[in-house]
Amino acid sequence: MKNKPKIQTNKRAIKRNEYFINTAEQLKPQLLQTTVRPDNLAVVSADRLAIHGWRAMAVSPAEELGGGDYGKGDQFILDFGTHLVGYVSMYIKPIGSPPDAPLRLRLTFGEMPVEMAEPFSEYNGWISSSWLQEETIYIDMMPGQVELPRRYSFRYLKFDILDTSPKYRVAFDEVTCRTVTSADSSRVKPLIHEDQMMCEIDKVSMKTLQNCMQDVFEDGPKRDRRLWLGDLRLQALSDYETFQNYDLVKRCLYLFAGLPDAKGQVAANLFTAPEYIADDTYFFDYSLLFVSTLYDYYFAANDRGTLSDLWPTAYRQIELALDRLDERDIVQDDDSWYSFIDWHEKLNKQASSQAILIYAMKQAVKLAEVLESGKRQCLNKRLQEISSAAIAHLWDKEKGFFVSGQEKQISWASQIWMGLAEVLPPAENRRLMQRLLSEKPAIGLTTPYMHHYLVEALILVGEKEKAISHIKGYWGEMMKDGADAFWEAYDPNDKAFSPYGSQLINSYCHAWSCTPAYFIRKYRL
Amino acid sequence: MKNKPKIQTNKRAIKRNEYFINTAEQLKPQLLQTTVRPDNLAVVSADRLAIHGWRAMAVSPAEELGGGDYGKGDQFILDFGTHLVGYVSMYIKPIGSPPDAPLRLRLTFGEMPVEMAEPFSEYNGWISSSWLQEETIYIDMMPGQVELPRRYSFRYLKFDILDTSPKYRVAFDEVTCRTVTSADSSRVKPLIHEDQMMCEIDKVSMKTLQNCMQDVFEDGPKRDRRLWLGDLRLQALSDYETFQNYDLVKRCLYLFAGLPDAKGQVAANLFTAPEYIADDTYFFDYSLLFVSTLYDYYFAANDRGTLSDLWPTAYRQIELALDRLDERDIVQDDDSWYSFIDWHEKLNKQASSQAILIYAMKQAVKLAEVLESGKRQCLNKRLQEISSAAIAHLWDKEKGFFVSGQEKQISWASQIWMGLAEVLPPAENRRLMQRLLSEKPAIGLTTPYMHHYLVEALILVGEKEKAISHIKGYWGEMMKDGADAFWEAYDPNDKAFSPYGSQLINSYCHAWSCTPAYFIRKYRL
């Protein structure tokens, strides 16, 4: 009983800014609610052509549920027809004698058919099994309304009647989901587009964003249900083109700025309950994306007050990133450091990180111009030095690619970020992206997050058609594989991919996948 | 999905008496609450000398719990030191990083060590597994207070930490139980008794009763948590000698009287939530015990108003029982009929039922006297006839025992109830009971309920010493086997006995076992 804690936390001292936190608190949104009923009773069967090997098929309209009754060992699946985030309730009636024992009921929530088919008890991924959405509940009083207190992210809902008693069975009425979101669909302008597939991709993007917009921008409503800076940046871009909830972006920026560490670095993610807490996780790239998120926000919302408030925080991220440069002005690559970039085990992150620093500094220069800040000169000077260093030390002229780390790794991510950072002159930059698409280096992309930056880079270098075809080939393919909302991880060449060792735990509505709507609408793709 | 109900209910039309129900509703008690903390952290180990083969042993004071922290796969058991009925809450703190995934926690509540040791998943008894007290809960927000909404009946509480995340562990503070009861201990007169064992038996009896006294008299707070007439009768007897909550007895009598079937028979048990409902279960003996319960109540509480209100209901039970007599005036024994008497598979219930009818009619005669009711003559006349019939057809003079059913079975139960019914003259009646104890027929007693009536019969025939020694040998032995409250079922010669095929599902605080306090106090044993 005298266990010593085995967990070592990397918790840093937090320098809380009460004014920023209060500002954020006042921007807390009211959630919009709708009541959704299931479409169908469904079965999930093995199908090797379907994603993860499982296909859901309707067997009868969900209205027929009320006519059935169920006893020990019975099971059925409800298909709500699309991805939902919300609170489930139902009315349970006993059939037969008055219930002389509680009802024991297991409810399993799934975003995907695989979650209905494969038992959670066999989950062996490396992140917590507690994310698997399952409840075993006891109902002591029937008939009666049951309101589940937790929020779920799901399309499918499996009922396992674990036990009633020999004297009664149960029937279910009015199984509903009260969905919640801070995204107001009435603010979205209709998309006029002759390509039906792009219209569909736009819709699924917006559904993804909408279901991640809660009282902050969450990364995924199933998992981790949390405000991550890298996700926020992409969500905000899509939000400006769709739901236009500028205040929610503002709220999140103030939250990050309100909880920096003692040196001023913003955390990679925040918890919002039971209070606002900065996670003890700091990413080189995510901290810099605070600058980008503020930059995007200012030019979308034209909110100079927020820019003035948060500029020092943004500038501080650059200062801290500059501290990581070696004497050559190259980001040091060692074990003391973490930059996210993408879920790729073998990816070396030095070149991408160097590029993100340059990218963020260019945005900082523009913000300094708006503010007429004296930091502008100094930023510009360092920008030149760092960009030159990137060319001098990371650019392999012969191969025509940027290299990263000790082993001079050539990856997609390095080229994409260097492309976005516009380290090369425009024509060369365009050729870099073309070369990337034709030569296809082995270290590829694993997440929609990184695919976003590929599309952004293609548009930047004027390759609109290639951007469109990549959107269709990646997000469109995900849709063909059954995405009601876009997924956290997807590799069209390895559809079984999970960064966590199990498809059960992947998030199938994930913020960083929501940007096709941004591309389609912003760039009129 | 088009299942036809497979459950056939024996539901009878109910003739609800609103005045009776309203009277009962107004007598609904306020529950008394206390907060109880665990005594020890405990382990449960195999021990073939212990009841069910398991023994709980303290390993350290429960205060040390707060100093420990727990991760995936950890387990500990809290021992609250005695049997409790109430609501559990605790404060859960994360240790390490902020919790980046919910805590998944299984809580297992046990009245007995066996419930801590044997997995509920292997339960294979014939009544519903949903009575096993277990919850798997997800805690999304920590640190924080967790209040479990359901009521539990337990002494031991096992924590299984199913998952946290690789980044945090958990610690538990202030695990408490808010107990509930409608029994007011301050009304109990201290027992002055030179026999320490009798004092202890009295205490455990009162604990049993107290924990079954909720907003009605429940049979068992773990299972079935319900108002049963046979249990009520014994609880009321003990209550008059201890907590003296006459109103709770009155409430229960009005409830039974308020929900008879169309013919006027009171049900064997009632549900009280979500509304007052008569179960579709009717026992010949339990309905007659309505008369006995009213009789006991009147003479304990001297409440003539209630007697006047409920007399017609009581009298009706006798009329309906008389309808079951054959042309010889003997209770018909066939498949259309059920009388509880005792949990004994082979027990024939004809003779006991005949005796209970006589017993109840004798009480009814006394109530008719109080009320100066004209029914008295008619009752007395039938009583003579039925008693004579019992002697003529059920008394085996040669063997000196009452026989029951086609096969002329000689059981303990038949002799006990005929003894209580005083069918034989006093001296013969006494010899009957002496013969029973010396000859020990094979069809014995399985429940404390039936043991109660044995003791009552011994006292009636003047065998006080034998009554005392039976109380010590039965309830005292149960106490030696670790009873904090007296059990639903106990056979000193077959300690593994369960009427349901599993020791896990037995109720270990059961109303019908609470009567030693009544005997000790009422008869100054």
Side-chain angles (χ1 to χ4, degrees), chain A residues 433-448:
Chain A
M433 295 315 297
Q434 289 165 338
R435 198 176 305 120
L436 175 66
L437 294 189
S438 64
E439 294 199 13
K440 298 185 174 58
I443 304 291
L445 312 175
T446 67
T447 59

Side-chain angles (χ1 to χ4, degrees), chain A residues 49-51 112 197-198 200-201 204 451 468-487 489-495 516:
Chain A
L49 297 177
I51 187 96
M112 293 291 286
M197 190 180 195
M198 292 297 258
E200 289 301 317
I201 291 175
V204 175
H451 280 269
I468 293 170
S469 103
H470 193 77
I471 288 173
K472 288 183 170 185
Y474 187 71
W475 282 269
E477 184 72 12
M478 213 188 301
M479 236 169 49
K480 285 185 204 155
D481 276 329
D484 303 299
F486 288 128
W487 305 337
Y490 183 64
D491 182 347
N493 302 313
D494 175 15
K495 291 183 177 178

Side-chain angles (χ1 to χ4, degrees), chain A residues 1-11 41 59-60 64-65 67-70 72 74-77 95-104 123 125-144 150-151 162-169 224-226 271 273-275 277-281, chain B residues 1-11 41 59-60 64-65 67-70 72 74-77 95-104 123 125-144 150-151 162-169 224-226 271 273-275 277-281:
Chain A
M1 295 296 123
K2 294 271 197 188
N3 298 320
K4 286 255 177 260
K6 287 168 199 149
I7 299 269
Q8 288 305 316
T9 164
N10 310 307
K11 216 171 275 181
L41 283 153
V59 287
S60 60
E64 295 195 5
L65 175 64
D69 62 275
Y70 303 90
K72 182 171 182 166
D74 287 343
Q75 182 187 90
F76 62 88
I77 295 173
I95 305 290
S97 294
D100 58 335
L103 163 67
R104 187 156 65 100
Y123 168 74
W126 61 264
I127 58 173
S128 178
S129 63
S130 62
W131 289 119
L132 299 170
Q133 302 178 106
E134 182 180 85
E135 303 289 346
T136 299
I137 60 173
Y138 292 81
I139 310 296
D140 295 308
M141 208 157 58
M142 284 168 285
R150 301 176 77 217
R151 199 194 69 187
L162 300 179
D163 217 336
T164 55
S165 95
K167 289 191 72 182
Y168 79 99
R169 294 165 65 84
D224 312 328
R225 310 183 200 148
R226 212 184 317 156
F271 299 89
E275 52 177 340
I277 300 167
D279 190 18
D280 56 359
T281 302
Chain B
M1 295 296 123
K2 294 272 196 184
N3 300 319
K4 285 254 176 266
K6 286 170 199 148
I7 300 268
Q8 289 305 317
T9 162
N10 309 307
K11 215 171 275 179
L41 283 152
V59 289
S60 61
E64 294 195 6
L65 175 65
D69 62 275
Y70 303 90
K72 183 173 181 166
D74 287 344
Q75 181 187 92
F76 62 89
I77 294 172
I95 305 290
S97 295
D100 59 335
L103 163 66
R104 187 156 65 100
Y123 168 73
W126 62 264
I127 58 172
S128 179
S129 63
S130 61
W131 289 119
L132 299 169
Q133 302 178 104
E134 181 181 86
E135 304 287 346
T136 299
I137 59 173
Y138 293 82
I139 311 296
D140 295 309
M141 208 156 59
M142 285 168 285
R150 301 177 76 217
R151 198 194 72 187
L162 300 179
D163 216 336
T164 56
S165 95
K167 290 190 71 180
Y168 78 101
R169 292 165 67 84
D224 311 330
R225 309 183 201 148
R226 212 184 316 156
F271 299 90
E275 51 178 339
I277 299 168
D279 189 17
D280 56 359
T281 301

Side-chain angles (χ1 to χ4, degrees), chain A residues 22-143:
Chain A
N22 287 339
T23 304
E25 181 61 22
Q26 279 158 33
L27 293 165
K28 192 169 178 176
Q30 281 286 327
L31 300 184
L32 302 166
Q33 310 189 352
T34 52
T35 298
V36 180
R37 291 178 167 72
D39 283 351
N40 289 303
L41 283 153
V43 290
V44 172
S45 350
D47 178 345
R48 77 191 164 76
L49 297 177
I51 187 96
H52 311 137
W54 298 104
R55 189 178 299 284
M57 275 179 313
V59 287
S60 60
E63 290 81 47
E64 295 195 5
L65 175 64
D69 62 275
Y70 303 90
K72 182 171 182 166
D74 287 343
Q75 182 187 90
F76 62 88
I77 295 173
L78 292 176
D79 177 359
F80 281 74
T82 188
H83 188 276
L84 305 174
V85 175
Y87 297 86
V88 168
S89 64
M90 65 194 73
Y91 189 79
I92 307 184
K93 292 180 303 192
I95 305 290
S97 294
D100 58 335
L103 163 67
R104 187 156 65 100
L105 178 66
R106 185 168 62 221
L107 297 169
T108 307
F109 297 83
E111 296 180 319
M112 293 291 286
V114 66
E115 292 160 279
M116 298 291 99
E118 298 182 4
F120 290 178
S121 54
E122 290 168 22
Y123 168 74
N124 59 358
W126 61 264
I127 58 173
S128 178
S129 63
S130 62
W131 289 119
L132 299 170
Q133 302 178 106
E134 182 180 85
E135 303 289 346
T136 299
I137 60 173
Y138 292 81
I139 310 296
D140 295 308
M141 208 157 58
M142 284 168 285

Side-chain angles (χ1 to χ4, degrees), chain A residues 97-306:
Chain A
S97 294
D100 58 335
L103 163 67
R104 187 156 65 100
L105 178 66
R106 185 168 62 221
L107 297 169
T108 307
F109 297 83
E111 296 180 319
M112 293 291 286
V114 66
E115 292 160 279
M116 298 291 99
E118 298 182 4
F120 290 178
S121 54
E122 290 168 22
Y123 168 74
N124 59 358
W126 61 264
I127 58 173
S128 178
S129 63
S130 62
W131 289 119
L132 299 170
Q133 302 178 106
E134 182 180 85
E135 303 289 346
T136 299
I137 60 173
Y138 292 81
I139 310 296
D140 295 308
M141 208 157 58
M142 284 168 285
Q145 182 74 10
V146 174
E147 313 263 352
L148 299 174
R150 301 176 77 217
R151 199 194 69 187
Y152 305 98
S153 178
F154 70 107
R155 169 174 167 168
Y156 305 100
L157 173 49
K158 182 168 68 179
F159 287 67
D160 281 288
I161 290 83
L162 300 179
D163 217 336
T164 55
S165 95
K167 289 191 72 182
Y168 79 99
R169 294 165 65 84
V170 282
F172 298 88
D173 261 347
E174 277 291 301
V175 183
T176 62
C177 176
R178 176 172 54 82
T179 66
V180 285
T181 180
S182 52
D184 180 355
S185 299
S186 72
R187 294 181 61 93
V188 178
K189 295 200 187 84
L191 175 70
I192 316 283
H193 202 297
E194 59 193 9
D195 186 332
Q196 193 50 37
M197 190 180 195
M198 292 297 258
C199 288
E200 289 301 317
I201 291 175
D202 176 70
K203 263 192 210 157
V204 175
S205 299
M206 286 197 293
K207 160 75 75 177
T208 308
L209 177 57
Q210 183 177 34
N211 285 358
C212 293
M213 282 172 72
Q214 300 297 333
D215 75 35
V216 294
F217 285 95
E218 295 184 13
D219 60 336
K222 168 177 157 186
R223 204 213 79 242
D224 312 328
R225 310 183 200 148
R226 212 184 317 156
L227 175 57
W228 283 88
L229 231 169
D231 301 68
L232 168 64
R233 200 255 164 148
L234 302 195
Q235 287 170 294
L237 288 175
S238 284
D239 174 61
Y240 305 144
E241 304 303 323
T242 55
F243 305 109
Q244 301 169 69
N245 190 341
Y246 300 105
D247 275 355
L248 192 68
V249 182
K250 180 174 171 181
R251 166 170 157 82
C252 294
L253 284 167
Y254 274 91
L255 284 177
F256 277 109
L259 296 162
D261 73 5
K263 286 187 173 170
Q265 187 176 3
V266 296
N269 72 84
L270 303 181
F271 299 89
T272 53
E275 52 177 340
Y276 298 116
I277 300 167
D279 190 18
D280 56 359
T281 302
Y282 295 82
F283 296 165
F284 181 87
D285 53 344
Y286 273 35
S287 296
L288 286 168
L289 289 174
F290 183 87
V291 183
S292 306
T293 312
L294 181 61
Y295 171 89
D296 301 333
Y297 172 76
Y298 172 73
F299 288 103
N302 195 26
D303 172 359
R304 200 186 165 100
T306 296

Side-chain angles (χ1 to χ4, degrees), chain B residues 201-216:
Chain B
I201 291 175
D202 176 70
K203 263 192 211 157
V204 175
S205 299
M206 286 198 293
K207 161 74 77 178
T208 308
L209 177 58
Q210 184 177 35
N211 285 358
C212 293
M213 282 173 73
Q214 301 296 331
D215 75 35
V216 293

